[in-house]
Amino acid sequence: MSRFRDALVAAMTLFVGRLARPRESRGRIVAAGPTDPLAELAVLGLLGLASAAAVAFVVLYAVGESTQYLGLSLGLSLLFVGAALVVTGRRLVATEELEEDYPPAGHVDDQRRVEQILEESGDRLTRRRLFKLGLLGTGGALGLALLTPALSLGPFFQTRYYLGTPWRRGRRLVDENGRPWRADDIERDDFYTAFPESANEEELGSPLVLVRLAPRNLRLPPKLKGYDAGGIVAYSKICTHAGCAIAMYRAPLFLPSEPRPALVCPCHYSTFDPAAGGTVLFGPAGRPLPMLPIEVDARGFLRAKGNFDGPVGPSWWGVRMSRANP
Amino acid sequence: MPRRLILLALLVLVTTGAASGKHLYGQYCAHCHDTQSAPDLHGVGALAADFYLRTGYMPLPHLGVQPRRARVTLSDEQIRALVAYAASLGNGPAIPTPHPERGSLSAGQHLFTDHCSGCHQVVAEGGYVTGAVPPQLGDDTPTQIAEAVRIGPYVMPSFTRKAISDAQLDSIIRYVEYARHPDDRGGWSIGHVGPVPEGLVTWFIAAAALVAVCMSVGRRLRA
């Protein structure tokens, strides 16, 4: 603790001391050169363009434009910054080439000398404050542009892409021909594919796999209690590993001696337990199959009771950025 | 008098037949199926018994393994007696008589792709599911395919007439029989196992040939 305080005091002293240091006047070291207002204007213009391109990146990201435009805007911004630096270096800063042995480091006088050289090198600039502002603006805009993609790490703004599906409370489950599924149609030891009624079948969140289990064999976790309709369970048909269709159902004839019921993805053999809320039994999938709460209505049709309990589809970014959502 | 004798002999034969079914059951099946370690056979009918015995799935070598196609050790007579005995245990389904010639090949392919190919692959070559091996269907008779679809042996899903009608089943069987000898428009089928062996062939044969050609060209240029 005391060491920390010492460090703090030392830092303060250094900082304040630096600020308070009187500027003693010495003779010039760098020869005074002519000013170049045109080059300054060019640099400021280039910095402005760089800032604009960086801001464009943020805007393009926000409206979800294609990655080509994102790359173009960021590249242009960096290009303009580079051009501005080149012009500054060649036209505005005094340059001279000297060959000199390294002096022993840390000599206070030498350090001051270097600082003075630095300051005098910038003497040719007439609009220093504007220059600083321009640099600051570009730095800020570019920094913002570089930070923007971090938004893709989590659903902050567009959770619809991750959690939105056509499933709503009361929406009926239909087969691929649009015929509504009745609870009586769903038999034990077989599995069925279902889609949301009058919605886009092609959407990632649409297809379901339906299975009927004996209610006494269900071991749903507490947060999924009541998601089944009398033993009928509905899961997203899209594997959470790489997005293949769950096309295999392991339906044991004799439970005591055979592998228990499982939904299996044929691509990489991710195996999910339909009795336990779609938990992963085996394979590369990292999270359970999303489960859809369903119920049987008065006429015996299967209806959704809401949306899935988790995001549908494979777990990598951009997968749901398609424009399929209505 | 001789006619009576023949009748008597027949009667004896029939009764000993049923009796021998029960006897065979005791000999081959009872130590698992009469305990909790295997499914109860009351009500499974002739269908299931016929399938399991004629494919060699039963009797199992030991408990807890997946039944696989094996050499049938029981004689035809013994199987018939056992099937009759299993049928007499309850009111189960009879042995089906599919008519694949009535089915439609294209409908069969569609149905097979829908219901079967997830595990058995699109040309019925068999595959893998975690914890089990879906067999290839090359040796199955139409009757056995029809039986398997209705029973769902081991971890296979079972399909009722509502899910797959008898007419649809005919189409599926017709497709499975076709898939044993499909028209290989590409020429060489390489076992019909899909893109992996095809890729291997490309790499090991075509790539090697290309390299050989390049080398011979290079040698000629150098000479």
Side-chain angles (χ1 to χ4, degrees), chain A residues 187 189 248 250-251 253 269 271, chain B residues 52 128 130 154-155 157-158 160:
Chain A
E187 311 213 23
D189 300 334
M248 299 150 108
R250 211 166 70 184
L253 198 69
Y269 294 103
T271 305
Chain B
Y52 280 103
Y128 291 94
T130 50
Y154 202 54
V155 299
S158 62
T160 58

Side-chain angles (χ1 to χ4, degrees), chain A residues 203-312:
Chain A
E203 223 178 292
L204 197 67
S206 285
L208 293 181
V209 53
L210 286 177
V211 165
R212 184 193 277 275
L213 300 165
R216 68 186 149 79
N217 287 338
L218 278 182
R219 289 169 282 106
L220 294 179
K223 73 160 190 159
L224 297 176
K225 280 276 181 288
Y227 270 47
D228 70 305
I232 304 177
V233 287
Y235 293 96
S236 162
K237 202 182 166 76
I238 308 298
C239 181
T240 54
H241 168 234
C244 295
I246 308 286
M248 299 150 108
Y249 179 48
R250 211 166 70 184
L253 198 69
F254 186 60
L255 262 168
S257 64
E258 292 172 3
R260 60 177 135 142
L263 293 163
V264 185
C265 174
C267 286
H268 308 95
Y269 294 103
S270 289
T271 305
F272 304 92
D273 190 342
T279 45
V280 182
L281 291 173
F282 175 82
R287 57 191 176 86
L289 268 188
M291 190 176 191
L292 188 81
I294 52 168
E295 62 188 354
V296 185
D297 70 9
R299 292 168 59 206
F301 292 117
L302 287 172
R303 284 181 190 274
K305 274 201 308 197
N307 199 355
F308 291 100
D309 74 308
V312 171

Side-chain angles (χ1 to χ4, degrees), chain A residues 28-35 94 120-121 123-124:
Chain A
R28 280 197 74 94
I29 303 170
V30 180
T35 57
E120 287 175 14
S121 299
D123 272 358
R124 288 167 62 190

Side-chain angles (χ1 to χ4, degrees), chain A residues 46-62 69-81 136-149:
Chain A
L46 285 169
L47 286 180
L49 283 173
S51 307
V55 170
F57 176 89
V58 178
V59 172
L60 288 172
Y61 181 90
Y69 292 123
L70 289 177
L72 189 72
S73 55
L74 198 61
L76 276 179
S77 177
L78 291 171
L79 205 73
F80 287 133
V81 171
L136 216 68
T138 307
L142 203 56
L144 199 66
L146 294 178
L147 282 178
T148 311

Side-chain angles (χ1 to χ4, degrees), chain B residues 184-196:
Chain B
D184 288 315
R185 295 299 162 97
W188 194 9
S189 71
I190 325 178
H192 298 125
V193 224
V196 173

